[in-house]
Amino acid sequence: MLSLMKILLLLGVLLTLESAFPSNWWRPDMVLLLLVPCALRFGRRRGAVLGFAGGIMLGAVSGAFMGILAGVYGVIGYLLGWWGEREVPGWFVFWLGTVFAISAAELMLAAMSRVLPWEMAPSVLSLRAWMLPVLLINSLLVWPADRLLQMLLGKSYLKKLRWRL
């Protein structure tokens, strides 16, 4: 349980730092940056929980609709965790997981913005403009994020954590 709190605290700090930068700068998707290595290492249930919590935190910081973001990131965390239970996470799996996560987030948010129009809904064009820079930055930073989580959580990060959910 302590490791989950550490990850959520780190995510909160990173989201706060991200919101301080101008919106026209290229910047990573902090939720996906931490979600990809954690979900691949810890499995589908923990990936879904982290994705859901990350979506709520992102919605709280950005002012977007928290329920939609929590659902999108929760599904991505679940699917990455399911894949991580079947593959040994290595640099290629992390990179491919990053590509999948960003593509899935863009597709789900674009579909939901058309079906359920809400005030803060991103347009399809803005999502496509968001996708390439985030894909490049997150692809470069996913491996260092994995190393940062190893330093933060210690040896327990490399084992399957036993969170009580």
Side-chain angles (χ1 to χ4, degrees):
M1 190 60 136
L2 184 62
S3 58
L4 175 64
M5 292 302 168
K6 285 182 181 178
I7 292 170
L8 292 177
L9 181 63
L10 177 64
L11 182 59
V13 168
L14 290 175
L15 285 173
T16 304
L17 289 174
E18 180 186 10
S19 66
F21 292 113
S23 61
N24 59 352
W25 284 19
W26 282 20
R27 53 189 180 181
D29 185 329
M30 295 297 185
V31 176
L32 291 178
L33 191 61
L34 292 181
L35 181 61
V36 169
C38 286
L40 285 172
R41 287 203 187 269
F42 303 141
R44 56 185 171 214
R45 180 184 291 171
R46 292 165 191 93
V49 168
L50 280 173
F52 186 82
I56 288 176
M57 291 171 73
L58 179 62
V61 170
S62 68
F65 191 61
M66 288 188 271
I68 290 178
L69 291 174
V72 167
Y73 286 110
V75 167
I76 291 171
Y78 181 86
L79 292 174
L80 284 170
W82 176 81
W83 186 37
E85 290 172 356
R86 285 150 181 76
E87 292 288 331
V88 176
W91 70 269
F92 184 72
V93 173
F94 283 132
W95 178 80
L96 200 56
T98 301
V99 170
F100 163 76
I102 292 169
S103 302
E106 192 266 336
L107 287 172
M108 284 191 266
L109 288 173
M112 286 189 181
S113 68
R114 289 183 185 204
V115 174
L116 303 169
W118 71 92
E119 186 177 316
M120 298 291 292
S123 69
V124 174
L125 292 176
S126 69
L127 283 171
R128 287 187 183 150
W130 164 86
M131 187 176 170
L132 183 62
V134 170
L135 184 62
L136 291 172
I137 293 171
N138 275 35
S139 295
L140 293 173
L141 293 179
V142 69
W143 197 254
D146 182 54
R147 296 295 175 231
L148 176 66
L149 287 167
Q150 283 182 20
M151 289 182 351
L152 180 68
L153 300 176
K155 292 181 182 178
S156 64
Y157 178 69
L158 297 175
K159 301 176 188 173
K160 296 287 184 186
L161 290 180
R162 303 241 190 303
W163 296 340
R164 294 181 185 169
L165 301 176

